[in-house]
């Protein structure tokens, strides 16, 4: 009988869309299986660090709801996220650039000081602004790596590590599947960005017959660029299971709708459970895995889909065994 199945899981960035990763993590929890290695970018990096620190998907969702539920408390937190030296901020032409460390302190659950203290091997991807290339952190201080991976340009200040400025990893590797070790037996990649056309249009339907707004153009451009990067990543390192979460009618900064975004992607939980069960069975029998690609369906508005029905609706593309 073969040894323990080594599973690598990559989580993409995607701001609030990242809550779609929670049903994927829940599938592992329900089966009592843990990934051996995690790789994450931006919101995916926060998810990886939190999960590797021992928090369950349910705890992460409950914490998010507590943080964002009371708007009055939320607005009291916001001033603490802004730069403390307004003069210096004006000099940098961005007085509203948030401090990523302060954001983590206010909104992220406590995590260990170093990567070595995590229960799961973890790789977090950021962009080195000097070289323009990706860098994957997996050792040493954890918080700076998380902060660097989520430092969206124009929203957060750059994070300096070893003298280099770092920005959001989504600029170069939004789905960091290529940073999972080569000795992984099974690779699963969960993307909530880069494939908007699979579940919804790049733009709201009401935008199709009128002049586009500036923010709609910018978001569309981001989607197009990200889609190319995700496609490139999955060609370099083809995952055994590629998941596409639905963005439905949500917006990138709908952090107050964490529960709704997670619920909209519930079909992924059951689909991943089915795939993992079959993969473990194949592994134990010494048989090859079937490669697959699953797209979460966009829920019908005002219609509750039962978990069992959601699995049947998920679009599953089976690929040749590997």
């Amino acid at each position: 009988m073969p040894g323990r199945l080594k599973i690598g899981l990559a989580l993409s960035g995607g701001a609030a869309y990242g809550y779609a990763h929670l049903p994927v993590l829940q599938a592992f929890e329900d089966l009592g299986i843990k990934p051996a290695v995690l790789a994450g970018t931006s919101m995916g990096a926060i998810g990886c660090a939190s999960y590797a620190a021992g928090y369950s998907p349910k705890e992460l969702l409950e914490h998010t709801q507590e943080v964002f539920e009371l708007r009055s408390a939320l607005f009291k937190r916001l001033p603490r996220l802004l730069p403390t030296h307004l003069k210096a901020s004006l000099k940098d032409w961005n007085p509203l650039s948030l401090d990523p460390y302060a954001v983590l302190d206010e909104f992220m659950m406590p995590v260990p000081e170093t990567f070595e203290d995590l229960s799961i091997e973890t790789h977090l991807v950021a962009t080195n602004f000097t070289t323009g290339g990706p860098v994957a952190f997996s050792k040493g201080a954890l918080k700076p790596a998380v902060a660097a991976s989520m430092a969206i340009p124009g929203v957060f200040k750059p994070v300096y590590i070893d003298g280099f400025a770092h920005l959001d990893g989504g600029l170069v590797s939004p789905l960091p599947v290529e940073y999972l070790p080569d000795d992984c037996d099974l690779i699963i990649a969960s993307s909530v960005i880069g494939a908007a056309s699979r579940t919804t249009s790049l733009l709201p339907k009401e935008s199709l017959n009128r002049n586009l707004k500036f923010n709609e153009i910018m978001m569309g451009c981001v989607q197009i660029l990200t889609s190319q990067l995700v496609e490139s990543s999955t060609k370099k390192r083809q995952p055994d299971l590629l998941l596409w979460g639905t963005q439905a009618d949500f917006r990138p900064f709908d952090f107050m709708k964490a529960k709704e975004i997670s619920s909209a992607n519930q079909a992924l939980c059951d689909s991943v459970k089915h795939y993992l069960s079959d993969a473990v069975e194949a592994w134990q029998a010494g048989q090859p895995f079937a490669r697959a690609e699953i797209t979460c369906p966009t829920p019908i508005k005002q219609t509750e889909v039962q978990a069992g029905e959601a699995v049947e609706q998920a679009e599953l593309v089976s690929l040749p065994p590997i």
Side-chain angles (χ1 to χ4, degrees), residues 170-189:
L171 293 172
V172 288
S173 183
L175 180 61
V177 65
E178 67 267 35
Y179 293 98
L180 292 170
D182 292 334
D183 63 348
C184 288
D185 302 304
L186 182 69
I187 298 293
I188 297 176

Side-chain angles (χ1 to χ4, degrees), residues 105-123:
D105 287 339
E106 291 292 335
F107 298 112
M108 187 179 179
M109 298 182 80
V111 294
E113 292 291 328
T114 68
F115 279 91
E116 290 77 9
D117 294 322
L118 296 174
S119 62
I120 302 174
E121 179 184 340
T122 302
H123 302 259

Side-chain angles (χ1 to χ4, degrees), residues 250-265:
F250 302 109
R251 295 291 180 263
F253 295 101
D254 278 344
F255 290 101
M256 293 184 179
K257 297 181 179 179
K259 184 176 180 180
E260 291 83 351
I261 294 173
S262 178
S263 296
N265 286 273

Side-chain angles (χ1 to χ4, degrees), residues 37-315:
V37 191
L38 298 170
T41 294
S42 198
M43 190 63 170
I46 295 176
C48 286
S50 300
Y51 187 64
Y55 298 111
S56 70
K58 182 180 179 181
E59 288 174 323
L60 295 176
L61 181 58
E62 289 176 348
H63 173 75
T64 301
Q65 288 180 277
E66 290 175 3
V67 168
F68 290 100
E69 191 174 44
L70 295 176
R71 296 197 177 196
S72 58
L74 177 62
F75 289 135
K76 287 181 180 179
R77 295 172 183 259
L78 294 181
R80 296 198 289 267
L81 309 181
L82 297 174
T84 54
H85 302 290
L86 183 58
K87 184 176 180 180
S89 298
L90 290 171
K91 184 179 179 181
D92 293 334
W93 291 90
N94 193 353
L96 297 181
S97 224
L98 302 179
D99 181 346
Y101 288 104
V103 170
L104 292 179
D105 287 339
E106 291 292 335
F107 298 112
M108 187 179 179
M109 298 182 80
V111 294
E113 292 291 328
T114 68
F115 279 91
E116 290 77 9
D117 294 322
L118 296 174
S119 62
I120 302 174
E121 179 184 340
T122 302
H123 302 259
L124 305 182
V125 179
T127 301
N128 184 315
F129 197 54
T130 299
T131 66
V135 54
F137 297 101
S138 59
K139 297 179 181 179
L142 177 61
K143 189 175 177 181
V146 178
S149 186
M150 57 163 271
I152 302 172
V155 178
F156 295 103
K157 296 190 297 183
V159 175
Y160 288 84
I161 300 176
D162 296 331
F164 292 98
H166 291 82
L167 295 171
D168 194 290
L171 293 172
V172 288
S173 183
L175 180 61
V177 65
E178 67 267 35
Y179 293 98
L180 292 170
D182 292 334
D183 63 348
C184 288
D185 302 304
L186 182 69
I187 298 293
I188 297 176
S190 176
S191 181
V192 297
I193 51 174
S197 59
R198 294 170 177 270
T199 56
T200 184
S201 170
L202 286 174
L203 298 168
K205 291 181 180 179
E206 62 269 20
S207 303
L208 301 180
N209 296 317
R210 61 169 171 75
N211 291 331
L212 297 175
K213 296 179 180 178
F214 175 77
N215 65 313
E216 292 172 338
I217 294 173
M218 294 307 296
M219 287 308 303
C221 289
V222 169
Q223 290 275 18
I224 292 169
L225 292 171
T226 303
S227 168
Q228 297 299 314
L229 289 171
V230 169
E231 183 178 353
S232 174
S233 293
T234 52
K235 281 183 177 178
K236 289 179 183 176
R237 183 76 177 281
Q238 289 189 340
D240 303 301
L241 176 61
L242 179 56
L243 304 167
W244 299 106
T246 178
Q247 297 176 357
D249 293 321
F250 302 109
R251 295 291 180 263
F253 295 101
D254 278 344
F255 290 101
M256 293 184 179
K257 297 181 179 179
K259 184 176 180 180
E260 291 83 351
I261 294 173
S262 178
S263 296
N265 286 273
Q266 186 58 38
L268 292 178
C269 177
D270 298 298
S271 297
V272 172
K273 281 162 63 175
H274 281 290
Y275 182 87
L276 280 174
S277 297
D278 291 343
V280 170
E281 186 176 336
W283 174 257
Q284 292 174 339
Q287 298 175 350
F289 304 119
R291 288 179 48 232
E293 187 171 337
I294 298 174
T295 299
C296 184
T298 300
I300 300 173
K301 287 185 178 180
Q302 298 179 344
T303 299
E304 292 187 1
V305 181
Q306 298 300 323
E309 296 173 350
V311 178
E312 295 177 0
Q313 292 182 22
E315 180 185 347

